[in-house]
Amino acid sequence: MAKIVLGVGASHSTLMNTHWEETTHKAEAERFRDALYATRDRIAAARPDVVLILGSNHFRGFWLDLIPAFTLGVGECNSSGESGTPQGPQKVDVDLARHLANELIESGRFDLAYSARLQIDHGQSHAIQYLLDGLDVPIVPLVVNVFAPPLPTFERCAELAAALRAAIADYPADTRVVVVASGGLSHRLPWPDWRDPHGEDEDFMVQAWLDGRENWSDYDVRRRQIIRAAEAAITPEFDDHILDLFTAGKASELAGYSTSEIEEQAGNGAQELRTWLMMAAMMDYIPAERLAYEAIPEWLTGMGVAVLDPSHSYSP
């Protein structure tokens, strides 16, 4: 029987790769990076046979011609490689991935999309780059729609996580699974609600999201310019509260948040916390160990790392 041996939540930002030297909050950046490396060591120590990566997609693998709420990679997986992140084919545990799809759908527990040729971006490849570097371990990618409303509710995400946990337990092989949630914490991207854009930049973004399936890189220079021009909107108080919930074993309270509440309190980028909730639910909401939190304006994001380890107990 397969079992989940470790859970990880980690923020991502491609600005780590492209603007490290321009980062003025260098001590904070180094502490966060060191926490990622420490987490990588924790993952290695857990001896995983596979890593299930729960992440978002930033309109480089999904476009507005088709936006599933949840998409499981069950075959080929290619990473877009933007901003110095890994590029090209990624090794997938196809047997486990297809087992999960079969169990979820045929059992009636959950209906989700699946892809035999999935393209991921830094929403998952950032975790591959920093958390799986040097580890010869396959992945199972699960993409959650957090940027093209209407979004799956936090409660629905927790329900999928419970179904995944049950499906993993039903897998007959003696497989050690690490679950990584990539994304968050508070940040606001200069992206519109695609249903109601305002101004040239927002119109450009929506057009890129509609037309980018075959030529997403053609839009990337201006996309990056728009992002770099944005002012940071980080909410450390919100981030501390979320991390406190995790360390207290109360991450289930995230399921009570609405999309609008997250947007108002922590920005559209904080919608990625759906993946953190899912990871915690798969770990049965055990208390987490907080490894790092740094507010880094140059990266536009509150950067956090937490580990949920069933072999250790932590005092809230």
Side-chain angles (χ1 to χ4, degrees), residues 156-230:
R156 189 62 171 156
C157 290
E159 292 171 357
L160 172 55
L164 283 166
R165 181 181 175 88
I168 288 172
D170 288 340
Y171 190 56
D174 185 18
T175 300
R176 298 172 63 85
V177 181
V178 167
V179 180
V180 171
S182 183
L185 300 168
S186 67
H187 62 295
R188 185 174 298 279
L189 296 171
W191 288 3
D193 182 327
W194 67 272
R195 301 166 295 187
D196 187 29
H198 297 279
E200 290 185 5
D201 284 347
E202 292 194 358
D203 287 339
F204 166 81
M205 283 291 197
V206 173
Q207 200 63 44
W209 300 343
L210 279 167
D211 296 339
R213 181 172 294 279
E214 302 301 328
N215 61 335
W216 65 266
S217 60
D218 293 348
Y219 297 93
D220 224 34
V221 171
R222 185 171 174 187
R223 278 173 50 129
R224 297 293 292 179
Q225 290 173 342
I226 292 170
I227 292 171
R228 288 301 300 151

Side-chain angles (χ1 to χ4, degrees), residues 15-16 30 33 41 52 58 96 99 113 150 153 161 163 180 200 206 213 221 227 243 246 265 282 297 309:
L15 297 168
M16 283 183 65
E30 290 175 348
R33 183 187 59 187
D41 293 342
L52 173 61
H58 303 75
L96 176 59
H99 164 83
T153 65
V180 171
E200 290 185 5
V206 173
R213 181 172 294 279
V221 171
I227 292 171
L243 290 171
F246 274 78
Q265 296 183 36
M282 294 183 71
D309 189 342

Side-chain angles (χ1 to χ4, degrees), residues 91-113:
K91 184 178 178 182
V92 174
D93 187 330
V94 173
D95 288 341
L96 176 59
R98 294 183 181 178
H99 164 83
L100 295 179
N102 290 340
E103 285 295 308
L104 290 173
I105 295 170
E106 293 179 3
S107 69
R109 291 173 181 152
F110 212 96
D111 297 320
L112 82 170

Side-chain angles (χ1 to χ4, degrees), residues 119-154:
Q119 180 168 305
I120 60 174
D121 66 15
H122 74 268
Q124 297 186 323
S125 62
H126 194 277
I128 294 171
Q129 179 178 16
Y130 286 97
L131 299 179
L132 304 186
D133 181 41
L135 305 180
D136 183 19
V137 58
I139 65 170
V140 171
L142 177 63
V143 178
V144 182
N145 172 35
V146 303
F147 289 125
L151 309 180
T153 65
F154 278 82

Side-chain angles (χ1 to χ4, degrees), residues 6-311:
L6 196 72
V8 171
S11 302
H12 60 240
S13 173
T14 57
L15 297 168
M16 283 183 65
N17 294 349
T18 60
H19 289 75
W20 181 268
E21 294 305 322
E22 293 88 343
T23 300
T24 57
H25 290 74
K26 194 71 74 180
E28 293 87 341
E30 290 175 348
R31 286 194 295 267
F32 175 76
R33 183 187 59 187
D34 290 346
L36 290 182
Y37 293 156
T39 303
R40 178 190 59 194
D41 293 342
R42 295 283 290 273
I43 292 172
R47 298 180 291 107
D49 298 301
V50 60
V51 176
L52 173 61
I53 303 182
L54 314 173
S56 56
N57 194 283
H58 303 75
F59 296 102
R60 292 185 179 90
F62 288 81
W63 290 267
L64 290 175
D65 59 359
L66 182 63
I67 299 286
F70 308 100
T71 307
L72 186 69
V74 298
E76 297 175 17
C77 176
N78 287 282
S79 181
S80 56
E82 78 281 7
S83 303
T85 54
Q87 183 174 18
Q90 305 299 314
K91 184 178 178 182
V92 174
D93 187 330
V94 173
D95 288 341
L96 176 59
R98 294 183 181 178
H99 164 83
L100 295 179
N102 290 340
E103 285 295 308
L104 290 173
I105 295 170
E106 293 179 3
S107 69
R109 291 173 181 152
F110 212 96
D111 297 320
L112 82 170
Y114 57 87
S115 173
R117 183 170 289 161
L118 180 68
Q119 180 168 305
I120 60 174
D121 66 15
H122 74 268
Q124 297 186 323
S125 62
H126 194 277
I128 294 171
Q129 179 178 16
Y130 286 97
L131 299 179
L132 304 186
D133 181 41
L135 305 180
D136 183 19
V137 58
I139 65 170
V140 171
L142 177 63
V143 178
V144 182
N145 172 35
V146 303
F147 289 125
L151 309 180
T153 65
F154 278 82
E155 184 177 8
R156 189 62 171 156
C157 290
E159 292 171 357
L160 172 55
L164 283 166
R165 181 181 175 88
I168 288 172
D170 288 340
Y171 190 56
D174 185 18
T175 300
R176 298 172 63 85
V177 181
V178 167
V179 180
V180 171
S182 183
L185 300 168
S186 67
H187 62 295
R188 185 174 298 279
L189 296 171
W191 288 3
D193 182 327
W194 67 272
R195 301 166 295 187
D196 187 29
H198 297 279
E200 290 185 5
D201 284 347
E202 292 194 358
D203 287 339
F204 166 81
M205 283 291 197
V206 173
Q207 200 63 44
W209 300 343
L210 279 167
D211 296 339
R213 181 172 294 279
E214 302 301 328
N215 61 335
W216 65 266
S217 60
D218 293 348
Y219 297 93
D220 224 34
V221 171
R222 185 171 174 187
R223 278 173 50 129
R224 297 293 292 179
Q225 290 173 342
I226 292 170
I227 292 171
R228 288 301 300 151
E231 293 185 4
I234 302 172
T235 315
E237 298 83 3
F238 172 88
D239 295 340
D240 278 331
H241 173 64
I242 294 301
L243 290 171
D244 285 347
L245 290 179
F246 274 78
T247 57
K250 297 180 179 179
S252 61
E253 293 185 19
L254 252 180
Y257 278 86
S258 68
T259 296
S260 59
E261 287 171 334
I262 292 292
E263 170 84 22
E264 180 180 347
Q265 296 183 36
N268 57 357
Q271 305 293 357
E272 291 176 322
L273 282 168
R274 285 165 169 79
T275 66
W276 283 58
L277 172 63
M278 293 174 67
M279 177 273 294
M282 294 183 71
M283 302 301 301
D284 201 24
Y285 300 111
I286 63 174
E289 180 184 3
R290 173 172 164 167
L291 269 64
Y293 175 74
E294 303 293 343
I296 305 180
E298 298 91 326
W299 300 351
L300 306 179
T301 306
M303 308 293 290
V305 183
V307 173
L308 282 67
D309 189 342
S311 68

